[in-house]
Amino acid sequence: EKRNSLPYTEQQRKWQLLRRGRYLEFNLLYDRGVRFGLVSPNPRIEGIMVSAPPLIAWEYNHEIAEGSEEDRLMQILKSPKKWA
């Protein structure tokens, strides 16, 4: 809530929606709890989808501009620091 009044660009909003789409992809394909729920005899699809972000975006083979803030974030995510 501290940042909800900060202005943002359309490019930043698009990036946020793309990241949310990747989160949903991970949940549906790789999360063991969600996968278990989907393959159960009577899956509760509503219960699974309620955990999804309300708005997402998906873009096939999305290219990130080299040197952009998005590129910097992806470099951090791909090689996290060992804090402890």
Side-chain angles (χ1 to χ4, degrees):
E1 292 184 24
K2 293 180 181 179
R3 295 177 180 246
N4 67 356
S5 62
L6 291 177
Y8 56 88
T9 66
E10 190 60 36
Q11 173 77 15
Q12 291 169 324
R13 178 67 174 156
K14 180 181 175 185
W15 176 250
Q16 178 190 42
L17 295 175
L18 286 170
R19 297 307 307 158
R20 287 179 174 183
R22 296 299 295 211
Y23 168 79
L24 180 59
E25 174 191 18
F26 173 83
N27 272 358
L28 293 174
L29 296 176
Y30 302 109
D31 185 86
R32 292 186 300 181
V34 172
R35 287 178 56 130
F36 177 78
L38 287 172
V39 299
S40 65
N42 294 315
R44 287 192 54 238
I45 303 300
E46 298 85 6
I48 293 167
M49 295 308 289
V50 76
S51 68
L55 295 172
I56 67 160
W58 177 260
E59 186 177 308
Y60 179 74
N61 204 17
H62 178 71
E63 296 288 328
I64 298 171
E66 193 171 325
S68 66
E69 283 296 312
E70 293 83 7
D71 183 44
R72 188 176 70 78
L73 174 63
M74 292 307 296
Q75 296 307 317
I76 292 170
L77 295 175
K78 289 179 181 178
S79 54
K81 292 181 181 179
K82 189 172 184 176
W83 294 99

